[in-house]
Amino acid sequence: MFHRAARPIAAALMFAAITPLHAQDDRYPEQPIRVIVPFGVGGLADISLRLVTQRLSERLGQQVVVENKPGAGGVVATNAVLGAPRDGYTLAVFANGTAISKTLFKLPYDPVADFAPISTVAYFDLVLLTNAKGKLQSLPALLAEGRKRQLVLGTINPGSTQNLSAELFKSMAGIDAMVVPFKSTPEVLTALLRGDVDVMFESYAALKGAITSGQATPIAATGSHRSSWLPKVPTVAESGVPGYEVAGWNALFAPAGTPPRRLDRLNAALNKVLREPAIRQRLEELGTQAQGSTREELADVFRRDIAKWADVIRKAGIPMQQN
């Protein structure tokens, strides 16, 4: 029988067992944090995350280290995060491509159930580009041409955001078009300049050189509004395809089971970094908009994008692929 006199002792022991956990969270982080990026060095996500984590390190008082683990559609990076302790010291970078992979690939994990959202980091749109020496110098001109003949839309690999953005455009514009995937952005650009494709879908950051050199003309952007880095370029929606919108994003996630207090600490610090004028300006120069979120808002963005791209994949008839 549990004696009444023993209750205060039991309560004290229980308090002693619980208190260190909260104290540990209050001291978090006490060691470097790893951020695993599923892309190679030098890409938009890699560069933007390195800028942000440098300032995040200063705010948290601990080094935040970016590690690149590209390959296998993000599976290599994700497995590295899931294989680490769920203590807030190993984080994952997800992008809108992660939402696509939920439907497109047979994954060895569930990106929704197995991860907890922290915050969005940045948003960016794609641009539609044509040969600067060609006759298709606006989206209305492209749509008019598409009513006369079959257009060729160039993108990088099947299932990429660029590729599915082209499929969505083809569907919503109601034109006769063929989406042709290439292995890399330089290959798509070469095909555009050679006249093998009529228009290509890519990020501004990836084609900034071709745009400034006068090789390619951006005729429309996929976002909901004109960007500050290409203010004269209209959106697809305002140029003849109402309702069309594609927004790329990247965000931080942690393995499910990470202490919520630590996720809240990371969210608060990251959002403060993303409000800093210097960080916002530097990211804007890269063609991306710094934008944090609550954990709940990121969860909603992720769920909506999964549903959106699942519908595009189904309508395009793209079969599920093995990674």
Side-chain angles (χ1 to χ4, degrees):
M1 184 175 178
F2 190 66
H3 196 275
R4 184 172 298 177
R7 289 176 184 170
I9 298 174
L13 289 173
M14 186 178 297
F15 180 77
I18 294 172
T19 300
L21 296 178
H22 289 295
Q24 287 172 15
D25 284 343
D26 289 340
R27 292 194 300 266
Y28 170 84
E30 297 182 283
Q31 65 190 56
I33 297 172
R34 301 163 63 213
V35 175
I36 310 298
V37 178
F39 309 109
V41 175
L44 179 60
D46 175 68
I47 295 172
S48 58
L49 260 296
R50 287 180 187 277
L51 284 169
V52 170
T53 54
Q54 182 178 351
R55 288 292 297 129
L56 190 60
S57 297
E58 296 169 13
R59 282 199 174 270
L60 292 174
Q62 283 288 346
Q63 189 75 13
V64 181
V65 182
V66 172
E67 294 185 16
N68 301 86
K69 291 186 180 294
V75 173
V76 174
T78 305
N79 282 339
V81 176
L82 290 177
R86 304 189 175 205
D87 54 9
Y89 289 103
T90 305
L91 309 178
V93 174
F94 279 10
N96 48 300
T98 314
I100 291 170
S101 69
K102 178 77 165 64
T103 301
L104 191 62
F105 297 108
K106 292 181 179 179
L107 300 172
Y109 52 82
D110 185 335
V112 176
D114 294 337
F115 286 87
I118 298 174
S119 173
T120 54
V121 176
Y123 282 82
F124 58 93
D125 53 22
L126 301 177
V127 287
L128 281 65
L129 300 112
T130 59
N131 191 326
K133 296 180 180 178
K135 63 178 182 177
L136 304 177
Q137 296 300 297
S138 69
L139 191 62
L142 181 76
L143 295 173
E145 187 71 11
R147 288 189 283 270
K148 300 176 186 176
R149 65 172 175 88
Q150 184 182 62
L151 297 176
V152 180
L153 316 181
T155 73
I156 57 171
N157 54 294
S160 64
T161 303
Q162 293 89 330
N163 181 254
L164 294 181
S165 296
E167 291 284 2
L168 181 62
F169 175 81
K170 170 186 172 181
S171 174
M172 292 187 68
I175 57 174
D176 182 14
M178 176 173 57
V179 180
V180 179
F182 293 79
K183 291 181 179 180
S184 67
T185 298
E187 288 184 24
V188 190
L189 179 60
T190 298
L192 179 74
L193 299 180
R194 198 168 50 212
D196 295 339
V197 304
D198 296 297
V199 62
M200 69 180 290
F201 289 66
E202 190 49 275
S203 69
Y204 168 72
L207 271 300
K208 188 176 181 180
I211 293 170
T212 55
S213 68
Q215 289 181 300
T217 300
I219 60 170
T222 65
S224 59
H225 56 273
R226 298 189 184 197
S227 67
S228 58
W229 46 90
L230 288 174
K232 295 182 180 179
V233 177
T235 66
V236 173
E238 71 177 288
S239 299
V241 188
Y244 182 93
E245 179 188 349
V246 174
W249 51 266
N250 51 52
L252 283 186
F253 280 72
T258 302
R261 287 164 65 97
R262 298 189 177 187
L263 299 179
D264 290 339
R265 168 92 168 107
L266 290 167
N267 176 277
L270 182 56
N271 272 272
K272 287 178 181 177
V273 168
L274 295 172
R275 287 194 290 268
E276 294 179 11
I279 287 292
R280 299 183 70 83
Q281 181 180 342
R282 186 69 186 93
L283 290 177
E284 187 173 303
E285 291 169 358
L286 293 172
T288 183
Q289 179 183 355
Q291 187 171 328
S293 69
T294 65
R295 291 171 54 203
E296 293 75 17
E297 286 168 344
L298 174 53
D300 288 342
V301 168
F302 196 34
R303 283 193 293 265
R304 285 198 307 268
D305 264 19
I306 288 172
K308 174 178 181 173
W309 293 118
D311 187 55
V312 174
I313 290 167
R314 179 182 57 80
K315 288 180 178 177
I318 302 173
M320 181 173 281
Q321 303 171 31
Q322 288 283 357
N323 241 317

